[in-house]
Amino acid sequence: MSVNLLQGAQEAGTMNSIKLLQGFKEASTFEKYALVVVIVVALLGLIYAAFLARQILREPEGNDKMKHIAKAIRTGGNAYLKRQFRTIILLIVVLAVFIFFTGYFGGETTKSEYGNPKWLIGLGRGGGFLMGALFSATVGYIGMNMAMQGNVRVAEASRSSFTKALKIAYRSGTITGMLTDGLGLLGGTIIFLIFFRDAPLVLIGFGFGATLIALFMRVGGGIYTKSADVGADLVGKVEKGIPEDDPRNAAVIADQVGDNVGDCAGMAADIFESYEVTIVAALILGVLLSEATGHLYWIIFPLLVRAAGVLSSIISTYSVRALREGENAMNAIHRGYLLAAAISIISFGLFAHFYCKDLRFFYATSVGVALAIAIQFLTDYYTSTERGPVKETAKSTKTGAATTILSGLGIGYESTVMAILAIAVSIALSAAIWRHGGMGVDTILYTFYGVALCGIGQLTLTGNNIAMDSFGPIVDNANGIGEMCKLEPEARQTLADLDAVGNTTKAVTKGIAIASAVLAAVALFAAFYEDYGLTAINLIKWQVFVCFLIGGAIPFMFSALTIRAVGRGAYFIVNEVRYQFAHVKGVWEGTVDPDYGKVVSICTAAAQKELITPALLAIISPIVIGFLFGLEALAGFLAGVILVGQLLAVFMATAGGAWDNAKKTIEDGLYGGKGSEAHKASVVGDTVGDPLKDTAGPALNPLIKVINLVAVLAASMMVVGVNHVPREKTAGIWALIVVGILAIMVSVWFSKRAESFGREEGEEAEKAKEA
Amino acid sequence: MSVNLLQGAQEAGTMNSIKLLQGFKEASTFEKYALVVVIVVALLGLIYAAFLARQILREPEGNDKMKHIAKAIRTGGNAYLKRQFRTIILLIVVLAVFIFFTGYFGGETTKSEYGNPKWLIGLGRGGGFLMGALFSATVGYIGMNMAMQGNVRVAEASRSSFTKALKIAYRSGTITGMLTDGLGLLGGTIIFLIFFRDAPLVLIGFGFGATLIALFMRVGGGIYTKSADVGADLVGKVEKGIPEDDPRNAAVIADQVGDNVGDCAGMAADIFESYEVTIVAALILGVLLSEATGHLYWIIFPLLVRAAGVLSSIISTYSVRALREGENAMNAIHRGYLLAAAISIISFGLFAHFYCKDLRFFYATSVGVALAIAIQFLTDYYTSTERGPVKETAKSTKTGAATTILSGLGIGYESTVMAILAIAVSIALSAAIWRHGGMGVDTILYTFYGVALCGIGQLTLTGNNIAMDSFGPIVDNANGIGEMCKLEPEARQTLADLDAVGNTTKAVTKGIAIASAVLAAVALFAAFYEDYGLTAINLIKWQVFVCFLIGGAIPFMFSALTIRAVGRGAYFIVNEVRYQFAHVKGVWEGTVDPDYGKVVSICTAAAQKELITPALLAIISPIVIGFLFGLEALAGFLAGVILVGQLLAVFMATAGGAWDNAKKTIEDGLYGGKGSEAHKASVVGDTVGDPLKDTAGPALNPLIKVINLVAVLAASMMVVGVNHVPREKTAGIWALIVVGILAIMVSVWFSKRAESFGREEGEEAEKAKEA
């Protein structure tokens, strides 16, 4: 591990000359124009986002009380993000250096195609990592802030017009969507233009930056939002029997903030990285194919598809509006989605036919669009209040909480089977379309390029998806503001209607994000295989099998950590809210505002503290496995992570959604409505589902990809010799392995030390109060 | 598929002569004696079981009321088993024919070593299948009956002496244990003696027979016991607030019967097949190694280890007794276990040193014993009332049912990670011990032979394990009889103490059974690989990866089906018990006995109906996958099943155990004791855990192996050509695939059609009652 860096750099410098922007020499005239068009479209997407933002900010914010509450939410949200970024900045810098070295020490494996020096590849990769992290954080930050500007304006608009409220809510969400689209396309394309055939070496850093931030935002935001939500509910709804958004509850603002940091910032960063990683995977495989075949379209086609997606999102999102007052908002949103899908599919066909002259490109991307639609259908079936499963869960509340939980477990287990079958069929179709390969190239390369195209196709309509998703927390917050400010009944009804639609759109996007994670991970998995010239990932080797078993355990460990983190966070909040009710005069009577800020800072601190262990697990485990057992075993590990991660993620999302909506149907009056025994059972189901569907489940999504990307990045350091197993483990490598294992163990131990759902502090606090 | 059978048989008959009992020509004098000793020890085990049975049957049965109740339980249990056997007998016969053909059409792959004709191999395999099924059923049937004879005698003995009650309970359980040991060793050894190097071809049928019966007994018994338990609790404890074993509850006898059919018959058949399948796997790999190296000890050593295990179980189980009145029963049982472990390990060392002259045999089997101890430790840590996890779950009841459930989920997820790490380490150690192989043989063969030895070692003390496990339902039933017959307080205390110990022993055995399932499955997986001469199980092939994803989905689907089946069963019982309370005069007042038999027959019918779909899924899915995608993809499928099956099984067992024991600590007076809000929350946790830990979880154990064995059996029919992918799918094969997929779909659809936890029948029945 000890290498004279300077000397290496000098050697590299003397031996190689720097060659950048090689692309334009190789590309045809059409391709040059195409690349320019792609950049222009990406910029158009950003301009459209800015245009929408101006439009939204011009809308009125309502009365002083509304402004006051909105400001409290904004302050909380931004305080959290600031703290979050401060917590991780050091790690990001350390990792950037590490990533520079992964590029630098790539040895055989990170060979530049143009003889660019190693330090340049290292710098590009490290810089790409920082850019990815910055873009992902920006999407999260701006997206969340636009949502927090939008929500109060939606509440105000609801007092005059349903149409207008819908438009503001949807367009506020669209800003995040278009930022994702624009920055995602811009980042990937720029790196590609600069480094051209060397781009995969750099893009992997870019993807990792985006993914890592997404992991932090998802885990931190998820712990924040559900600690606040569960904590607020346990004291408010369960103990005191007051409504959900009652302003006397000190956790109520933290709950609103949580919706933004979890569902807006977390989800936006998450989908941004899915969007990024699918293109990274496609470009890595595309570069290999273009080298082998001499055609550039393997690389350009995915970029064109993305550009078409951005354009269709611009057109279709702007077209979303209610045709008449009181039309179901879902219909308007669906119309926009279908319009976008139609535009995209037609352009896929045109590109494939006229540019690639190979309709397999069209088929593979269309399979992706079909998968997105299938996932929407499945999510809708398992979580819609109109369908069998939720109705069954709702009925099961009549025999109590236990049967409610069991019913949700059954539905969740079944739904994850269906989702993985849909994904398996998509992968099989994509691979089958490309199974004949061609031009003497390894068929594996073709089949997994097909899978990457499927992933690209599936995320074509990201602009629309994120718009739909952000719509959820915006109208949720608007509804909360409406309740706290006691708006007029008609406005409240409008907001409640929009909120119900928001729940559906959120669930749908979650399903699509998870499916895209698997496709991206599978394509990365193949990229890993190709990059390091593995000859097989042979499960019958004991090292591979053992690591495969360990890989499968990771998502369970991760889920255990995040679920318990929410428990611990909620417990702190319960204690604080109880304390304020009991000891701060006037809070319970409603004459004095509770100290919202206190709860906000408890949530913020808890989320920061709790995200360390899961993040360490994700980053360190593939490194330890790779150095201990070699690359082939590491690939087995990745396969285990992908399989179990996907199964758990969909199970959690669906079971949580089913419990949530079962509760909603009962609150709408079924089986005795609010206050009945059935309602109590349904609240138990919903509370169990909360950390599953909003913390553990969605965080598995970036987890899968962080682990994959760490593997791809670190693999270059693990390769010693041709048989892809470190032949001799030096003292340095053993030290790394031991330190890695210790770091995970110590961190898990610390995180376990504090029990989750029942520490003595609670009892002491209670006793103190009683005394 | 159309072959002239008669002609084939004639050809085979003329070309080959029948050669059986070849073993004695090849074996050394020592080995001949060793084989005779093994047979004698197996018979000794059976004689010991008969001796214990006579001893138990001589004990007094107590007063008339006790006899009456015991008889009702016996009648219910036997009625269930009779119905169960009747349901599956047709399937068994059809499968025996199918299995004959798998042997017959083996083609290249089921080549006899001695030139035995194909029809003889087919007959041996089909016959082995029937023998395996018969043995497994016998162990279940006799084991359950001895438990049902023992329970009432334990109750009677508790009135005079704790020591005596413990002895009767433990020895009743030991009968099942020794039956398993004796029949398991006898069956495997006899087949080996007759067919010698051809034995693997036949043993696979024997293992499948045992496993299939175990699957039926586990699924059927699990659905029965938890439908009765959940149904009885929902009306009794939850609705009416009467104690658990109140004789007015019409489901109370069905609940007792359920303990026997689920925990005795189901568990006995299940461990019998684990015991069998590990030896089958070891012998298959051992035969290959002995062919390659010329030594027979690869085959004889595992048989000797088993014989040593049987002997040490005989000695140690007979030594189990309380040293003084009132000693903790767990101590006595542990002393016996340690004694057995010591005898076994010493004999492993002696055999390895003096016979094999290779200490690796000793190390590998000792790793197995260490794994058994590690699993015991882990199970104890996560489910004992004295340790952190259960205490945490108990505390979490104070904030309600939702936090209770979340706490259990977190603990379950964490425990499954630890268990799979323990298994991964064992596999790695076993493989590392054999990593240098030797004598020019494929190292893979050695490493997985090491894994098989580890499995053999882990199940050495099966006699003791089953004795401990059966002890659980015996004292549980004795306690129930004590409550129903209102025995003296001292007797009740004795029985309650024994019952608490029984809960721990049950949990421990469950953990060991699941770990053994994985080791057996991994060894079978390797046997599959070796048998069909696969060159790799390469995950990067899309077919392998897609089937791997589908394989991971199977345990989730299976769990969803079984959990919902319990829901449906419980619902029928709730309605019946409610009806009897409301409409049969004197039942609620306690003056008239409720119609226990009615509930027993509802449970029996429900269990039969519900086990069809999960069983079809297990049998058909590997066949469809294999024919569609070929053998390598089928191996990927198996890997997915093993990984996810193991993770879910331990999660369910531990989470269920933690909830159960959290409830127990609260019933012992913690946090307000019985009737408090904390207690209500803990009952919800326990009820959720019931179908997980006693139905879905344990049934995953035989599921994993049924799927593996079907794959091994059917593979010989899938091999067409050397590349192990059916080159042309004939109309017949397509028909098979389509029929298979349709059968699963139709069956799942039918099973889903009836919702699980909330059908209208319930409402109608309620309305009818109200009217």
Side-chain angles (χ1 to χ4, degrees):
Chain A
M1 297 283 284
S2 77
V3 162
N4 186 329
L5 178 61
L6 217 68
Q7 190 194 337
Q10 282 164 349
E11 274 173 29
T14 50
M15 279 158 57
N16 306 315
S17 58
I18 296 172
K19 283 183 187 151
L20 295 175
L21 291 166
Q22 289 286 335
F24 279 94
K25 290 183 199 146
E26 296 185 31
S28 71
T29 315
F30 171 78
E31 285 163 346
K32 282 176 196 162
Y33 280 117
L35 285 169
V36 171
V37 167
V38 169
I39 297 272
V40 169
V41 170
L43 292 172
L44 258 184
L46 295 176
I47 293 166
Y48 176 56
F51 164 77
L52 289 179
R54 274 180 59 114
Q55 214 180 47
I56 299 297
L57 291 174
R58 271 202 306 266
E59 298 293 333
E61 278 191 88
N63 61 34
D64 284 347
K65 176 118 202 230
M66 290 164 75
K67 280 184 196 158
H68 177 68
I69 289 175
K71 195 167 165 232
I73 296 175
R74 275 201 294 274
T75 313
N78 283 319
Y80 165 78
L81 272 197
K82 224 175 267 169
R83 175 92 176 255
Q84 165 97 306
F85 290 143
R86 226 185 312 140
T87 310
I88 58 179
I89 188 77
L90 184 69
L91 181 68
I92 297 291
V93 172
V94 171
L95 278 176
V97 175
F98 170 77
I99 284 160
F100 167 79
F101 282 112
T102 67
Y104 186 81
F105 287 124
E108 288 305 295
T109 51
T110 49
K111 198 169 46 191
S112 160
E113 289 296 320
Y114 297 111
N116 278 323
K118 287 201 255 180
W119 60 263
L120 182 65
I121 300 296
L123 273 187
R125 192 183 268 193
F129 170 73
L130 290 175
M131 184 167 88
L134 186 70
F135 278 14
S136 188
T138 306
V139 170
Y141 179 79
I142 299 185
M144 184 184 83
N145 271 287
M146 286 318 302
M148 296 189 304
Q149 297 287 353
N151 54 25
V152 63
R153 292 174 168 86
V154 173
E156 174 64 17
S158 74
R159 304 172 75 179
S160 55
S161 151
F162 171 84
T163 320
K164 197 167 172 195
L166 166 63
K167 200 169 80 179
I168 295 176
Y170 187 78
R171 290 197 176 170
S172 304
T174 305
I175 298 168
T176 320
M178 295 320 297
L179 265 181
T180 303
D181 265 9
L183 287 180
L185 189 55
L186 199 63
T189 314
I190 287 177
I191 290 178
F192 174 69
L193 281 179
I194 297 177
F195 288 92
F196 216 61
R197 290 197 197 284
D198 282 346
L201 301 175
V202 173
L203 277 170
I204 209 81
F206 180 61
F208 182 53
T211 308
L212 191 68
I213 294 292
L215 181 73
F216 283 123
M217 305 276 262
R218 264 300 194 197
V219 177
I223 293 171
Y224 187 115
T225 178
K226 289 302 129 175
S227 299
D229 190 4
V230 173
D233 284 358
L234 282 179
V235 186
K237 277 201 226 172
V238 180
E239 277 183 26
K240 300 284 185 183
I242 56 178
E244 182 155 350
D245 287 324
D246 193 299
R248 289 172 295 171
N249 190 330
V252 75
I253 292 285
D255 190 8
Q256 302 286 333
V257 172
D259 289 340
N260 289 299
V261 301
D263 289 344
C264 278
M267 177 57 105
D270 184 3
I271 300 203
F272 176 78
E273 66 90 13
S274 281
Y275 191 79
E276 217 41 79
V277 170
T278 43
I279 198 90
V280 166
L283 290 183
I284 292 176
L285 297 170
V287 165
L288 293 173
L289 277 169
S290 95
E291 277 167 25
T293 62
H295 292 294
L296 266 185
Y297 52 63
W298 302 102
I299 308 164
I300 311 275
F301 179 78
L303 294 172
L304 284 176
V305 163
R306 277 282 148 92
V310 174
L311 269 185
S312 41
S313 284
I314 293 177
I315 298 168
S316 64
T317 53
Y318 206 72
S319 80
V320 168
R321 66 196 70 207
L323 292 180
R324 50 185 172 72
E325 276 297 303
E327 191 201 10
N328 186 336
M330 205 63 216
N331 292 347
I333 293 174
H334 264 153
R335 272 198 303 275
Y337 200 84
L338 288 180
L339 176 63
I343 301 177
S344 305
I345 289 191
I346 292 170
S347 35
F348 300 167
L350 295 176
F351 296 145
H353 183 70
F354 290 107
Y355 170 44
C356 310
K357 298 183 178 59
D358 185 342
L359 280 180
R360 294 183 298 182
F361 286 87
F362 170 62
Y363 298 142
T365 39
S366 302
V367 168
V369 177
L371 175 63
I373 292 169
I375 295 281
Q376 291 205 24
F377 171 80
L378 282 174
T379 313
D380 186 60
Y381 175 72
Y382 283 105
T383 61
S384 158
T385 51
E386 309 293 313
R387 305 301 192 99
V390 170
K391 285 187 181 170
E392 184 190 322
T393 304
K395 273 194 207 156
S396 71
T397 60
K398 291 195 300 172
T399 36
T403 46
T404 309
I405 299 294
L406 285 170
S407 164
L409 288 180
I411 287 170
Y413 284 169
E414 189 183 301
S415 73
T416 196
V417 173
M418 298 305 155
I420 211 164
L421 287 181
I423 292 171
V425 169
S426 308
I427 294 178
L429 283 178
S430 312
I433 289 167
W434 295 89
R435 75 189 176 284
H436 294 306
M439 304 187 225
V441 185
D442 182 8
T443 329
I444 287 174
L445 208 47
Y446 283 100
T447 53
F448 284 91
Y449 182 75
V451 173
L453 282 190
C454 176
I456 298 264
Q458 202 228 353
L459 286 179
T460 308
L461 305 179
T462 293
N464 300 58
N465 280 327
I466 298 190
M468 282 163 71
D469 182 64
S470 301
F471 179 82
I474 291 170
V475 292
D476 185 325
N477 265 244
N479 196 15
I481 294 171
E483 175 149 354
M484 283 188 269
C485 300
K486 303 194 173 51
L487 293 188
E488 303 79 5
E490 302 78 45
R492 296 290 310 282
Q493 188 56 48
T494 297
L495 291 172
D497 289 349
L498 289 174
D499 193 11
V501 170
N503 275 319
T504 308
T505 60
K506 267 198 295 189
V508 166
T509 329
K510 222 172 274 171
I512 290 180
I514 293 168
S516 81
V518 171
L519 292 179
V522 172
L524 276 179
F525 180 71
F528 174 82
Y529 172 88
E530 290 290 341
D531 263 9
Y532 294 101
L534 295 180
T535 48
I537 297 166
N538 191 354
L539 266 179
I540 201 69
K541 290 193 186 163
W542 68 268
Q543 297 93 331
V544 180
F545 197 86
V546 164
C547 294
F548 160 72
L549 291 181
I550 298 174
I554 296 286
F556 273 93
M557 189 72 219
F558 185 82
S559 303
L561 288 170
T562 44
I563 290 173
R564 291 163 142 229
V566 171
R568 285 188 290 265
Y571 210 79
F572 283 119
I573 287 153
V574 165
N575 286 336
E576 178 61 30
V577 177
R578 277 185 186 153
Y579 179 86
Q580 293 202 17
F581 273 144
H583 295 269
V584 182
K585 243 189 181 157
V587 167
W588 178 241
E589 295 75 18
T591 51
V592 172
D593 266 358
D595 187 353
Y596 299 126
K598 184 79 209 261
V599 180
V600 167
S601 34
I602 292 175
C603 282
T604 305
Q608 302 313 317
K609 188 174 144 272
E610 296 287 357
L611 64 70
I612 307 291
T613 310
L616 278 184
L617 184 69
I619 298 172
I620 295 177
S621 62
I623 298 180
V624 169
I625 290 284
F627 277 114
L628 253 183
F629 295 103
L631 290 191
E632 195 173 340
L634 180 56
F637 175 82
L638 298 180
V641 173
I642 293 172
L643 173 65
V644 178
Q646 155 72 20
L647 284 168
L648 274 185
V650 176
F651 151 64
M652 290 177 167
T654 321
W659 281 318
D660 191 352
N661 276 340
K663 188 194 71 173
K664 286 213 162 61
T665 60
I666 287 172
E667 288 180 348
D668 286 349
L670 203 67
Y671 308 129
K674 281 192 184 185
S676 63
E677 284 301 311
H679 183 237
K680 277 183 200 156
S682 75
V683 169
V684 170
D686 183 40
T687 313
V688 170
D690 266 343
L692 300 188
K693 78 175 195 299
D694 290 323
T695 310
L700 286 169
N701 192 350
L703 172 82
I704 294 174
K705 280 170 290 176
V706 163
I707 290 184
N708 263 279
L709 283 164
V710 170
V712 178
L713 278 167
S716 58
M717 297 176 113
M718 292 166 195
V719 180
V720 182
V722 280
N723 62 353
H724 306 297
V725 181
R727 256 198 239 129
E728 348 168 53
K729 294 192 174 48
T730 62
I733 289 180
W734 277 113
L736 187 76
I737 292 170
V738 171
V739 168
I741 293 176
L742 280 180
I744 291 178
M745 281 170 61
V746 168
S747 160
V748 168
W749 184 77
F750 264 101
S751 135
K752 266 178 61 78
R753 216 178 36 155
E755 291 166 29
S756 48
F757 291 98
R759 271 109 0 99
E760 300 298 341
E761 296 100 290
E763 286 160 29
E764 281 157 27
E766 274 175 76
K767 273 179 218 148
K769 267 179 281 168
E770 280 158 22
Chain B
M1 298 284 283
S2 79
V3 162
N4 187 328
L5 178 61
L6 216 66
Q7 190 193 337
Q10 282 165 348
E11 275 173 27
T14 51
M15 280 157 58
N16 307 314
S17 56
I18 297 170
K19 283 183 188 153
L20 296 174
L21 291 165
Q22 290 284 334
F24 280 94
K25 290 183 198 149
E26 296 184 32
S28 72
T29 315
F30 171 78
E31 285 163 345
K32 280 176 197 160
Y33 281 116
L35 285 170
V36 171
V37 167
V38 169
I39 296 273
V40 169
V41 169
L43 292 173
L44 260 183
L46 294 176
I47 292 167
Y48 175 56
F51 164 76
L52 290 178
R54 274 179 59 113
Q55 215 180 46
I56 299 298
L57 290 174
R58 269 203 306 266
E59 299 291 335
E61 279 191 87
N63 61 34
D64 284 349
K65 175 120 202 226
M66 290 163 76
K67 281 183 196 159
H68 176 69
I69 289 175
K71 196 168 164 230
I73 296 175
R74 276 201 294 276
T75 312
N78 282 319
Y80 165 76
L81 273 197
K82 224 174 271 169
R83 175 91 175 253
Q84 165 98 304
F85 291 142
R86 227 185 311 141
T87 310
I88 58 181
I89 188 77
L90 184 69
L91 181 68
I92 298 291
V93 172
V94 171
L95 278 175
V97 175
F98 170 75
I99 284 160
F100 167 79
F101 282 111
T102 66
Y104 186 82
F105 287 124
E108 288 305 295
T109 51
T110 50
K111 199 169 44 192
S112 160
E113 288 298 321
Y114 298 111
N116 278 323
K118 286 200 255 178
W119 60 262
L120 182 65
I121 301 295
L123 272 188
R125 192 183 269 192
F129 169 74
L130 290 175
M131 184 166 88
L134 186 69
F135 279 14
S136 189
T138 305
V139 170
Y141 178 79
I142 299 186
M144 185 184 84
N145 271 288
M146 286 317 303
M148 295 191 304
Q149 295 287 353
N151 53 25
V152 64
R153 292 172 167 87
V154 172
E156 174 62 18
S158 73
R159 304 171 73 179
S160 55
S161 153
F162 170 84
T163 320
K164 198 167 168 195
L166 166 62
K167 200 170 78 179
I168 295 177
Y170 188 76
R171 291 197 175 169
S172 303
T174 305
I175 298 169
T176 320
M178 295 320 298
L179 265 182
T180 304
D181 265 10
L183 287 181
L185 190 55
L186 199 63
T189 315
I190 288 178
I191 290 177
F192 174 67
L193 280 180
I194 297 177
F195 287 92
F196 217 61
R197 291 197 198 284
D198 282 346
L201 301 176
V202 172
L203 277 170
I204 209 82
F206 181 60
F208 182 55
T211 309
L212 191 68
I213 293 292
L215 182 73
F216 283 122
M217 304 275 263
R218 265 300 195 199
V219 176
I223 293 171
Y224 188 114
T225 178
K226 290 302 128 175
S227 298
D229 190 5
V230 173
D233 284 0
L234 282 179
V235 185
K237 280 202 224 172
V238 180
E239 276 184 26
K240 300 284 183 180
I242 56 178
E244 182 156 351
D245 287 323
D246 193 298
R248 287 173 293 172
N249 191 327
V252 76
I253 292 285
D255 190 7
Q256 302 286 335
V257 172
D259 289 339
N260 290 298
V261 302
D263 289 345
C264 279
M267 176 56 105
D270 184 4
I271 299 202
F272 176 79
E273 67 90 14
S274 281
Y275 190 80
E276 218 42 78
V277 171
T278 43
I279 198 90
V280 166
L283 291 184
I284 293 176
L285 297 169
V287 165
L288 293 172
L289 276 168
S290 95
E291 278 167 25
T293 63
H295 292 294
L296 266 186
Y297 53 60
W298 303 103
I299 308 165
I300 310 275
F301 180 78
L303 293 173
L304 283 175
V305 163
R306 278 282 148 93
V310 173
L311 267 184
S312 40
S313 285
I314 293 177
I315 297 168
S316 64
T317 52
Y318 205 71
S319 80
V320 168
R321 66 197 70 208
L323 292 181
R324 50 183 171 73
E325 276 298 301
E327 191 201 9
N328 187 335
M330 204 63 217
N331 294 345
I333 293 175
H334 264 155
R335 273 196 305 275
Y337 200 84
L338 289 180
L339 175 64
I343 301 177
S344 306
I345 289 190
I346 292 170
S347 36
F348 298 168
L350 295 177
F351 296 146
H353 183 69
F354 291 106
Y355 170 44
C356 309
K357 298 183 176 60
D358 185 344
L359 279 179
R360 295 182 298 181
F361 286 87
F362 170 62
Y363 299 141
T365 38
S366 301
V367 167
V369 177
L371 175 62
I373 293 169
I375 295 280
Q376 290 206 24
F377 172 79
L378 283 175
T379 313
D380 185 60
Y381 174 73
Y382 283 104
T383 61
S384 157
T385 51
E386 309 293 313
R387 307 300 193 98
V390 170
K391 284 187 181 168
E392 185 190 321
T393 304
K395 272 193 206 154
S396 71
T397 59
K398 292 194 300 173
T399 35
T403 47
T404 308
I405 299 293
L406 286 170
S407 164
L409 287 180
I411 287 169
Y413 284 169
E414 190 183 298
S415 73
T416 197
V417 173
M418 298 305 155
I420 211 165
L421 287 181
I423 292 172
V425 169
S426 307
I427 294 178
L429 284 178
S430 312
I433 290 168
W434 296 89
R435 73 188 179 285
H436 295 306
M439 304 186 224
V441 185
D442 182 9
T443 329
I444 286 173
L445 208 46
Y446 282 101
T447 52
F448 284 92
Y449 182 73
V451 173
L453 282 189
C454 176
I456 297 266
Q458 201 229 354
L459 286 180
T460 308
L461 305 180
T462 294
N464 300 57
N465 280 328
I466 298 190
M468 284 163 71
D469 182 66
S470 300
F471 180 81
I474 290 170
V475 293
D476 186 323
N477 265 243
N479 196 16
I481 293 172
E483 175 150 355
M484 282 188 269
C485 298
K486 305 195 172 50
L487 293 190
E488 303 79 6
E490 303 79 44
R492 296 292 308 282
Q493 188 57 47
T494 297
L495 291 171
D497 290 349
L498 289 174
D499 192 13
V501 171
N503 275 320
T504 309
T505 58
K506 267 197 296 188
V508 166
T509 328
K510 221 172 274 172
I512 290 181
I514 292 168
S516 81
V518 172
L519 292 180
V522 172
L524 277 179
F525 180 69
F528 175 81
Y529 173 86
E530 291 289 340
D531 264 8
Y532 294 101
L534 296 180
T535 49
I537 297 166
N538 191 354
L539 265 179
I540 202 69
K541 290 194 186 160
W542 69 268
Q543 297 93 332
V544 180
F545 197 86
V546 163
C547 293
F548 159 73
L549 293 181
I550 297 173
I554 296 287
F556 273 93
M557 190 71 219
F558 185 81
S559 303
L561 287 171
T562 45
I563 291 172
R564 291 164 143 227
V566 170
R568 284 189 291 264
Y571 210 79
F572 283 119
I573 287 152
V574 165
N575 286 337
E576 177 61 30
V577 177
R578 277 185 187 152
Y579 179 87
Q580 293 201 16
F581 273 143
H583 294 270
V584 182
K585 240 186 183 162
V587 168
W588 179 240
E589 295 75 19
T591 52
V592 172
D593 266 0
D595 186 353
Y596 299 125
K598 185 81 209 259
V599 180
V600 168
S601 35
I602 292 174
C603 282
T604 306
Q608 303 313 318
K609 190 175 144 269
E610 295 289 357
L611 64 71
I612 306 291
T613 310
L616 279 183
L617 184 69
I619 298 172
I620 296 177
S621 62
I623 298 180
V624 169
I625 291 286
F627 277 113
L628 252 182
F629 294 105
L631 289 191
E632 194 173 341
L634 179 56
F637 175 82
L638 297 181
V641 172
I642 293 173
L643 173 65
V644 178
Q646 155 73 20
L647 285 167
L648 274 185
V650 177
F651 151 63
M652 289 177 170
T654 322
W659 281 316
D660 191 352
N661 276 339
K663 188 194 70 175
K664 286 214 162 57
T665 61
I666 288 172
E667 289 180 348
D668 286 348
L670 204 69
Y671 308 129
K674 281 193 184 185
S676 64
E677 284 301 311
H679 183 238
K680 277 185 200 155
S682 75
V683 169
V684 171
D686 184 38
T687 312
V688 169
D690 266 343
L692 300 187
K693 78 174 194 303
D694 290 322
T695 310
L700 286 168
N701 193 349
L703 172 82
I704 293 174
K705 281 170 291 176
V706 163
I707 290 183
N708 262 280
L709 283 164
V710 170
V712 178
L713 278 168
S716 59
M717 299 176 110
M718 293 165 194
V719 180
V720 183
V722 280
N723 61 354
H724 306 295
V725 181
R727 255 197 240 131
E728 348 168 52
K729 293 192 176 48
T730 61
I733 289 180
W734 277 114
L736 188 76
I737 292 169
V738 170
V739 168
I741 294 176
L742 279 180
I744 293 178
M745 283 170 61
V746 168
S747 158
V748 168
W749 184 77
F750 263 100
S751 133
K752 268 177 61 78
R753 216 178 37 155
E755 291 167 31
S756 49
F757 291 98
R759 271 109 2 99
E760 300 296 343
E761 297 99 291
E763 286 161 28
E764 281 157 26
E766 276 175 76
K767 272 178 218 148
K769 267 179 281 172
E770 281 158 20

